[in-house]
Amino acid sequence: MEPRNQTSAFEFILLGLSEYPEQETLLFALFLCMYVVMAMGNLLIILAISSDSHLHTPMYFFLANLSLVDFGLATNTVPKMLVNIQMKSKSISYQCCLTQMYFFHFFGIIDSVLIAVMAYDRYVAICHPLHYTTIMSPRLCGLLAGGPWVFSYFISLTHILLMVRLVFCGSNKIPHYFCDLTPLLRLSCTDTSVNKIFVLIVAGLVIATPFICILASYVRIIVAIIKVPSAGGRKKAFSTCSSHLSVVALLYGTTIGVYLCPSSVRTAVKEKASAIM
C-alpha cells in the first residue's frame, strides 16, 4: 500500500467510544446531557462572577478563567463526537484533526497550570492572610492568569509543527472519540522519537511541575490549618480547599495515566476513559 500523503483529502476515522452501534443512542443522550449541564454551569459561573462585585477577588477571578477553559476544552471534543453519532459518520479531515488536537492541548495545558495557580492562591490566603491583598495584587493575578494562555499557545503550536512533519500510511482508524496526540503517533509510519521526547518534556512542565507545586502548597496549608486553635476555624479552612483537591485528583490522576504511564500498560479503552474524566 502506498503511503498516504498529508493532503486536504486525507481523512481519519474516529472509532468513538463504543464498537457496538446499539449503544450509540444511549451515549448520545448521556453526553448531550453532560455537555449541556457543563456548558450552562461554566457559563453561569462566569456570568455570576463578572456581574457581582463582591466576587471580584483573586480566587473567583481564577475560577472564572478555569470555567472558560473547561468550557473550551469540552466544546472542542464533545460536539464533534455528538455530530458523528447523529450523522452516522466517523470521519474527520486531516486539517480538522490537527485543529482539534491543538485546542485540546491548548486548553488542557491552561487547565493544568491554572489549577496550580489556584493552589498558590489558597496557600497565600490561608498561610499569609494579613498580606493576601498585597501579595495577590491585580498585576500578579493578571500575570498568573494570562501567562498560562501564552505558554500554552507556544507549546500546543510546537506539538502541531512536529506532527505535520510525519507521514501517515496504512490504517487511518483512530481508536478514540477525538484526535489526541498518542493515538495519532501510533498511526505514523515515520520516526516519532522527537515527538515522544517532546511529549515527555511537556508532561514534565505542565503535569509533573504543577502537581509538585500543588503538593508543596497543600503541605504548607495543612501545617497551617493544624495550628488553628478552634475546630470551626480548621473546618472552614479545609472546606475552602476540598473542591479544589477533588479537581486536582481527577485531572492529574487521569492525565498522568494517559501521558506518563508506559505504553505497555496503556490501552485504547483506558485512554478513552481517562479522557472522558
Side-chain angles (χ1 to χ4, degrees):
M1 183 179 291
E2 295 182 358
R4 305 169 188 260
N5 292 325
Q6 300 169 352
T7 64
S8 59
F10 184 78
E11 289 184 337
F12 291 109
I13 304 298
L14 295 171
L15 298 182
L17 288 173
S18 175
E19 299 176 357
Y20 306 102
E22 61 271 15
Q23 295 179 351
E24 290 189 342
T25 301
L26 176 62
L27 289 172
F28 179 85
L30 177 63
F31 276 85
L32 178 62
C33 292
M34 287 171 59
Y35 178 74
V36 170
V37 170
M38 180 283 308
M40 292 296 294
N42 281 307
L43 292 176
L44 285 173
I45 288 173
I46 295 171
L47 180 62
I49 292 172
S50 60
S51 60
D52 189 345
S53 59
H54 294 95
L55 300 179
H56 292 175
T57 62
M59 181 179 73
Y60 288 106
F61 172 66
F62 295 135
L63 180 60
N65 272 271
L66 188 67
S67 295
L68 178 61
V69 170
D70 285 343
F71 174 76
L73 190 61
T75 301
N76 179 55
T77 56
V78 178
K80 174 60 178 174
M81 182 188 71
L82 296 176
V83 169
N84 285 355
I85 294 175
Q86 189 67 19
M87 301 298 293
K88 307 297 181 183
S89 172
K90 297 184 178 182
S91 64
I92 182 170
S93 68
Y94 175 77
Q95 291 86 351
C96 288
C97 187
L98 291 188
T99 301
Q100 189 181 60
M101 191 184 81
Y102 171 83
F103 282 106
F104 178 77
H105 287 275
F106 176 71
F107 288 120
I109 291 170
I110 299 172
D111 211 17
S112 177
V113 179
L114 270 180
I115 289 175
V117 168
M118 294 176 75
Y120 174 73
D121 173 72
R122 291 298 82 209
Y123 158 72
V124 176
I126 293 173
C127 298
H128 304 282
L130 299 179
H131 303 285
Y132 179 73
T133 54
T134 304
I135 296 173
M136 301 302 293
S137 63
R139 182 175 180 274
L140 179 61
C141 290
L143 290 173
L144 291 175
W149 291 80
V150 177
F151 173 72
S152 182
Y153 167 79
F154 288 106
I155 294 295
S156 303
L157 182 62
T158 305
H159 272 309
I160 299 302
L161 293 177
L162 290 174
M163 185 64 68
V164 297
R165 53 184 273 279
L166 302 179
V167 176
F168 297 91
C169 52
S171 175
N172 64 340
K173 295 179 180 179
I174 302 175
H176 216 315
Y177 67 96
F178 69 94
C179 289
D180 197 9
L181 191 63
T182 49
L184 272 177
L185 291 178
R186 294 193 195 105
L187 296 182
S188 175
C189 55
T190 50
D191 182 25
T192 60
S193 57
V194 175
N195 301 70
K196 292 176 180 178
I197 291 171
F198 187 68
V199 168
L200 291 176
I201 294 172
V202 173
L205 289 174
V206 305
I207 301 174
T209 302
F211 187 62
I212 292 170
C213 292
I214 290 169
L215 290 180
S217 297
Y218 273 102
V219 168
R220 297 291 300 275
I221 287 171
I222 291 171
V223 171
I225 291 175
I226 291 174
K227 294 179 180 179
V228 175
S230 66
R234 288 194 296 269
K235 184 178 180 181
K236 182 179 179 181
F238 272 121
S239 66
T240 63
C241 302
S242 57
S243 58
H244 182 259
L245 279 172
S246 63
V247 172
V248 169
L250 188 63
L251 174 67
Y252 287 99
T254 54
T255 306
I256 289 171
V258 172
Y259 296 106
L260 289 179
C261 282
S263 57
S264 58
V265 301
R266 290 201 308 257
T267 64
V269 174
K270 288 181 180 179
E271 287 185 351
K272 285 187 281 189
S274 297
I276 291 169
M277 297 301 289

